[in-house]
Protein backbone atom coordinates (compact mmCIF):
# COMPACT_ATOMS: atom_id res chain seq x y z
CA UNK A 1 0.00 0.00 0.00
CA UNK A 2 1.32 3.47 -0.89
CA UNK A 3 2.44 5.69 1.98
CA UNK A 4 3.35 9.32 2.48
CA UNK A 5 6.61 10.14 4.22
CA UNK A 6 6.63 13.64 5.67
CA UNK A 7 9.94 15.09 6.85
CA UNK A 8 10.25 18.53 8.46
CA UNK A 9 13.31 20.12 10.04
CA UNK A 10 14.92 23.39 11.02
CA UNK A 11 17.85 23.90 8.65
CA UNK A 12 21.28 25.11 9.68
CA UNK A 13 22.61 28.26 8.05
CA UNK A 14 24.72 26.09 5.73
CA UNK A 15 21.63 24.08 4.74
CA UNK A 16 19.82 27.35 3.97
CA UNK A 17 22.58 28.29 1.53
CA UNK A 18 22.70 25.04 -0.50
CA UNK A 19 23.15 25.93 -4.20
CA UNK A 20 20.40 24.95 -6.65
CA UNK A 21 22.82 22.65 -8.51
CA UNK A 22 23.44 20.64 -5.32
CA UNK A 23 19.67 20.33 -4.73
CA UNK A 24 19.22 19.05 -8.28
CA UNK A 25 21.97 16.45 -7.77
CA UNK A 26 20.21 15.29 -4.58
CA UNK A 27 16.88 15.21 -6.43
CA UNK A 28 18.31 12.89 -9.10
CA UNK A 29 19.71 10.61 -6.39
CA UNK A 30 16.32 10.44 -4.65
CA UNK A 31 14.60 9.29 -7.85
CA UNK A 32 16.72 6.13 -7.70
CA UNK A 33 15.49 5.07 -4.24
CA UNK A 34 13.72 1.75 -3.96
CA UNK A 35 9.95 2.24 -3.86
CA UNK A 36 10.15 5.99 -4.56
CA UNK A 37 7.26 7.55 -6.53
CA UNK A 38 7.63 11.33 -6.07
CA UNK A 39 8.71 14.12 -3.74
CA UNK A 40 7.54 17.67 -3.15
CA UNK A 41 10.26 19.88 -1.67
CA UNK A 42 8.85 22.25 0.95
CA UNK A 43 10.30 25.42 2.46
CA UNK A 44 8.88 28.03 4.85
CA UNK A 45 11.46 30.79 5.17
CA UNK A 46 9.41 32.78 7.71
CA UNK A 47 9.21 29.81 10.09
CA UNK A 48 12.72 28.59 9.16
CA UNK A 49 11.45 25.12 8.24
CA UNK A 50 12.27 22.82 5.35
CA UNK A 51 11.37 19.32 4.40
CA UNK A 52 9.73 17.06 1.93
CA UNK A 53 6.58 15.14 1.26
CA UNK A 54 7.25 11.83 -0.48
CA UNK A 55 5.12 9.06 -1.92
CA UNK A 56 6.60 5.57 -1.54
CA UNK A 57 5.25 2.19 -2.62
CA UNK A 58 5.13 0.93 0.97
CA UNK A 59 6.14 1.68 4.54
CA UNK A 60 9.30 -0.45 4.36
CA UNK A 61 10.83 1.60 1.55
CA UNK A 62 9.72 4.88 3.17
CA UNK A 63 11.27 3.85 6.50
CA UNK A 64 14.49 2.76 4.79
CA UNK A 65 14.89 6.24 3.28
CA UNK A 66 13.92 7.99 6.53
CA UNK A 67 16.54 5.92 8.38
CA UNK A 68 19.21 7.14 5.91
CA UNK A 69 18.00 10.73 5.71
CA UNK A 70 17.69 11.57 9.40
CA UNK A 71 21.40 11.13 10.25
CA UNK A 72 22.37 13.07 7.10
CA UNK A 73 20.21 16.00 8.14
CA UNK A 74 21.62 15.87 11.69
CA UNK A 75 25.24 15.70 10.46
CA UNK A 76 24.77 18.78 8.30
CA UNK A 77 23.23 20.77 11.17
CA UNK A 78 19.49 20.10 10.86
CA UNK A 79 17.53 20.35 14.09
CA UNK A 80 14.04 19.45 15.31
CA UNK A 81 13.73 16.71 12.71
CA UNK A 82 10.25 15.24 12.43
CA UNK A 83 9.63 12.09 10.38
CA UNK A 84 6.13 10.67 9.98
CA UNK A 85 4.82 7.90 7.74
CA UNK A 86 1.14 8.02 6.82
CA UNK A 87 -1.06 5.43 5.12
CA UNK A 88 -2.80 6.84 2.05
CA UNK A 89 -6.59 6.76 2.10
CA UNK A 90 -6.80 6.00 -1.61
CA UNK A 91 -10.52 6.29 -2.42
CA UNK A 92 -11.08 9.89 -1.29
CA UNK A 93 -7.56 10.82 -2.41
CA UNK A 94 -8.41 9.66 -5.94
CA UNK A 95 -11.55 11.80 -5.92
CA UNK A 96 -9.50 14.85 -4.92
CA UNK A 97 -7.01 14.12 -7.75
CA UNK A 98 -4.04 13.04 -5.62
CA UNK A 99 -1.17 11.80 -7.82
CA UNK A 100 -0.94 8.27 -6.44
CA UNK A 101 0.79 6.64 -9.44
Amino acid sequence: MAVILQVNYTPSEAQQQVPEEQKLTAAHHITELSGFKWKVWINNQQANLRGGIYLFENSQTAKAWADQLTPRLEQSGGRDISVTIFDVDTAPSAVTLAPLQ
Side-chain angles (χ1 to χ4, degrees):
M1 174 194 299
V3 299
I4 293 288
L5 168 64
Q6 182 176 340
V7 179
N8 299 320
Y9 68 99
T10 302
S12 67
E13 193 157 326
Q15 288 169 323
Q16 293 172 356
Q17 305 302 321
V18 171
E20 193 71 16
E21 183 177 304
Q22 192 173 338
K23 290 180 194 176
L24 292 175
T25 298
H28 286 289
H29 169 74
I30 291 168
T31 65
E32 298 172 0
L33 296 172
S34 176
F36 173 82
K37 294 294 189 180
W38 53 255
K39 175 185 180 182
V40 175
W41 298 63
I42 56 177
N43 183 20
N44 182 330
Q45 289 182 331
Q46 289 181 328
N48 193 29
L49 292 172
R50 284 197 173 174
I53 299 173
Y54 304 75
L55 181 69
F56 279 90
E57 289 178 356
N58 56 56
S59 60
Q60 292 81 9
T61 56
K63 184 175 179 340
W65 173 237
D67 289 348
Q68 291 179 49
L69 180 60
T70 301
R72 290 181 187 183
L73 291 173
E74 289 171 340
Q75 290 169 0
S76 58
R79 302 179 324 275
D80 305 320
I81 300 166
S82 168
V83 175
T84 309
I85 296 174
F86 297 91
D87 291 329
V88 174
D89 197 345
T90 55
S93 295
V95 171
T96 57
L97 307 178
L100 300 178
Q101 300 300 323

